[in-house]
Amino acid sequence: MMMKKIEHLGIAVADLKKSNELFKKLLGKEHYKEEAVEGEGVKTSFFQVGDTKIELLEASREDSPIAKFISKKSEGIHHIAFDVQDIYAEIERLKSEGFEILNEVPKEGADNKLVVFLHPRSTNGVLVELCQER
């Protein structure tokens, strides 16, 4: 089995508190979790929508990838994440298909996941994240 489903959509936001209120109104429900990922310099908030999640991402330091993204592109969709059964097998499969892997060693991400990212230049300009439950 390769990719099982869209796990979440990551949305870069300037103000997590304001965005939590906005998405609460939009989705008609509260976020279920907030979590800091110090290694990425980000604070996250998650909303459940059916089988998929929305992950809001706010930079917690000026040199983080989210801060750079917002300074270049403004707020908006940052990445699409796919749930995978075996992240190591997927890394090898995607490398053999010619995709550029940003971190070939999975790292700890938010929401109890191991994560790997594919470079947008190999995926039509979309940052793709692979997630496997830890």
Side-chain angles (χ1 to χ4, degrees), residues 47-106:
F47 289 83
Q48 188 75 43
V49 185
D51 289 340
T52 305
K53 295 175 215 157
I54 302 291
E55 177 188 32
L56 304 181
L57 304 125
E58 176 192 70
S60 59
R61 57 175 201 262
E62 288 182 22
D63 66 341
S64 75
I66 293 300
K68 290 175 188 167
F69 179 90
I70 287 176
S71 73
K72 283 183 192 170
K73 298 184 179 182
S74 187
E75 296 179 291
I77 293 180
H78 178 259
H79 67 272
I80 183 168
F82 292 96
D83 186 26
V84 298
Q85 193 160 327
D86 182 342
I87 200 165
Y88 298 97
E90 274 303 284
I91 291 167
E92 293 310 310
R93 182 183 78 79
L94 293 168
K95 275 174 34 182
S96 75
E97 293 285 0
F99 291 94
E100 186 178 344
I101 313 292
L102 285 171
N103 59 300
E104 292 194 20
V105 176

Side-chain angles (χ1 to χ4, degrees), residues 2-16:
M2 291 159 211
M3 308 228 182
K4 299 192 298 187
K5 67 176 184 174
I6 293 176
E7 212 281 330
H8 66 266
L9 294 175
I11 300 175
V13 301
D15 184 321
L16 195 59

